[in-house]
Amino acid sequence: LYQRDMPLIRQLGADTLRLRPWRGTSDDRRNMYSTMARHGLCKVVPTFQMTQHYINMIQEGMEQPDTSTSSALHKDFQHFAARLYEQHLEGLKIAAWTVDMSIDLEELMPLVTKCSVVPPPTSAAGQNFNRFVALLTALVNWVQGGPGGSSAPSLKRAPLLIPLDVSRLPMTSDYKASISMLLGCMRRWAPTLFAGKGDSATRWLLSFALPQESATGYPFGPLLSSMAAQLKKDGTRAVVMVGTQALMRDPSNPNNLIDDLNTSKPPEQQYVLQSAFKAFSTASSTEAALDGLILDEWQDDWDRGVRGPFFLARATIDEVYEECHRGGRFSHDIARCARRVGDGWVYPEYFGMARISSVFWKHCSLPRFHQGLFAFGGVSENITQAYPMQCRRLLPSW
């Protein structure tokens, strides 16, 4: 499938892929990396599966993770880093590395009052925050190393991207001030995480869920500019990630957002993303604190639950996963899992840049972007030539 998809992804102007936790065989990884390099996708952002260790802390009632060299956390992280040595990457560069979990801003923000007060572990939200920070601190310490050297030398020159799901931010009257305070306070609350300098310094991974523009007043541009100004003030940096969502339950929804037939004009989704790219470009040039834009995501993901692209640092396992009960990939879970953001709603299903479908042994991908419309290097809105559906025959797995 990656041989089918890599040329299409490159057509967007992308040069980097963010990879979810993936354990595949060494041959699987080598073949995919080689295909990426051949098509000009020369950088990768791998993701460490931290959520399972956070859940272990919940199950064991632990406030701090076990960081001994014999612990499951240390062994898993060493294996993760070992798969990223230069000789295994087929010429690719590690642009950064990240984890699969975010702080939950919805429950944390009421505790953010002033930088001199760290969210206390006596509250559930404070306990969740401190567990999250403790796990990240352990990973950073292993990368940086001590007298015995780094446990993950392949990551030592690559920055950590700390996920922050901004779509969880409560849209109160002072939301800009609240998120700016959190960004500023984190350097004091978790100094080890932000101790690096230069290209290897830790950055935020700011994740936004974009509702359809005509349906909401969600202030993506102003909010991003405000956050970028705070980052510049603090001497920290960020990478931005944006995705678009389902709007209504099928079949009542005419699906103007995505226009799966993709024949007459570019789908509305592309104009939403193009507008977001323009806002990102403005904030990046004005504040000079943003290092890149990630599109979330390549193909449809209708099984995320309410949480979006990251698991959440919450108090129970059910809250961490925050699934949509009775929902599924063939129904839009608007009645069960929607939540309000600004004047609009956020829904769990995410539309990717490509539609996927299967018929017997054929697996197909239909790009939803038109040539020249959404590209990282251009903003044309007049080119309407669509990419054709791409299919591959696959053997069933048992």
Side-chain angles (χ1 to χ4, degrees):
L1 293 181
Y2 53 75
Q3 293 177 357
R4 176 197 69 191
D5 292 342
M6 295 302 175
L8 295 172
I9 293 173
R10 184 60 182 146
Q11 292 291 334
L12 285 169
D15 64 358
T16 305
L17 285 186
R18 182 180 74 90
L19 300 178
R20 293 181 179 180
W22 178 39
R23 294 186 179 273
T25 68
S26 57
D27 286 342
D28 289 338
R29 291 191 297 273
R30 187 175 294 110
N31 289 338
M32 196 189 83
Y33 294 154
S34 177
T35 303
M36 285 178 60
R38 188 165 64 251
H39 291 290
L41 291 158
C42 53
K43 290 178 281 188
V44 65
V45 179
T47 302
F48 176 66
Q49 194 172 8
M50 191 176 82
T51 299
Q52 62 180 343
H53 299 286
Y54 182 91
I55 288 174
N56 288 343
M57 292 179 68
I58 293 176
Q59 293 173 325
E60 299 297 329
M62 300 166 60
E63 299 299 322
Q64 295 290 323
D66 180 0
T67 58
S68 65
T69 56
S70 61
S71 67
L73 176 62
H74 186 265
K75 290 178 180 178
D76 281 355
F77 191 64
Q78 276 195 315
H79 292 158
F80 168 73
R83 293 192 292 265
L84 298 170
Y85 282 118
E86 186 175 340
Q87 61 266 32
H88 300 320
L89 291 177
E90 300 296 317
L92 300 184
K93 176 184 176 182
I94 302 175
W97 62 282
T98 187
V99 296
D100 61 342
M101 173 169 273
S102 168
I103 301 168
D104 183 12
L105 291 177
E106 194 166 19
E107 71 166 16
L108 180 65
M109 293 313 297
L111 301 181
V112 182
T113 56
K114 51 186 177 181
C115 290
S116 59
V117 180
V118 180
T122 52
S123 66
Q127 185 181 52
N128 302 336
F129 171 79
N130 283 280
R131 283 172 170 163
F132 176 85
V133 170
L135 280 167
L136 281 181
T137 299
L139 303 185
V140 169
N141 283 335
W142 286 331
V143 170
Q144 297 306 316
S150 172
S151 297
S154 60
L155 300 175
K156 195 159 187 179
R157 289 183 290 180
L160 165 64
L161 302 183
I162 301 178
L164 189 65
D165 189 345
V166 184
S167 72
R168 305 288 297 188
L169 178 67
M171 290 287 114
T172 57
S173 59
D174 60 346
Y175 66 93
K176 290 183 184 177
S178 297
I179 191 63
S180 293
M181 178 178 290
L182 173 65
L183 294 175
C185 292
M186 280 295 291
R187 290 181 66 90
R188 296 178 60 177
W189 294 346
T192 300
L193 299 184
F194 296 91
K197 296 181 180 180
D199 291 342
S200 62
T202 296
R203 290 151 169 78
W204 289 102
L205 178 55
L206 306 176
S207 174
F208 292 85
L210 302 180
Q212 188 182 22
E213 288 182 319
S214 61
T216 180
Y218 185 70
F220 172 71
L223 178 56
L224 180 61
S225 293
S226 175
M227 296 176 74
Q230 182 65 45
L231 293 169
K232 182 179 180 180
K233 177 181 177 181
D234 297 334
T236 51
R237 306 186 67 82
V239 171
V240 177
M241 187 168 81
V242 296
T244 57
Q245 307 158 326
L247 295 180
M248 299 280 291
R249 178 170 27 216
D250 283 339
S252 61
N253 178 22
N255 264 351
N256 292 330
L257 178 66
I258 56 170
D259 184 19
D260 271 345
L261 297 178
N262 205 10
T263 54
S264 59
K265 64 178 183 178
E268 180 67 21
Q269 176 211 34
Q270 300 307 298
Y271 292 112
V272 173
L273 291 174
Q274 192 70 77
S275 176
F277 177 64
K278 292 177 181 178
F280 165 81
S281 299
T282 298
S284 181
S285 61
T286 302
E287 303 299 343
L290 305 177
D291 288 331
L293 179 69
I294 296 175
L295 287 184
D296 177 42
E297 65 185 320
W298 171 238
Q299 292 182 336
D300 294 342
D301 186 351
W302 289 6
D303 293 314
R304 287 185 170 183
V306 181
R307 67 182 184 276
F310 300 104
F311 295 103
L312 299 173
R314 301 288 299 273
T316 69
I317 296 174
D318 285 343
E319 289 176 331
V320 168
Y321 288 112
E322 202 164 3
E323 297 174 342
C324 288
H325 298 291
R326 297 183 294 115
R329 63 184 305 176
F330 298 113
S331 64
H332 294 181
D333 306 313
I334 181 172
R336 296 179 286 276
C337 300
R339 61 187 176 80
R340 182 174 288 280
V341 172
D343 295 328
W345 294 85
V346 169
Y347 304 106
E349 295 86 9
Y350 273 47
F351 284 125
M353 299 301 293
R355 165 196 174 190
I356 53 175
S357 60
S358 298
V359 179
F360 295 109
W361 55 85
K362 289 176 62 177
H363 195 79
C364 301
S365 177
L366 176 63
R368 292 192 176 110
F369 56 92
H370 284 221
Q371 295 180 25
L373 176 67
F374 188 86
F376 289 101
V379 293
S380 171
E381 296 180 356
N382 299 315
I383 300 176
T384 59
Q385 182 180 355
Y387 287 97
M389 179 178 289
Q390 307 284 326
C391 297
R392 292 292 185 274
R393 294 178 183 271
L394 300 178
L395 292 175
S397 59
W398 305 97

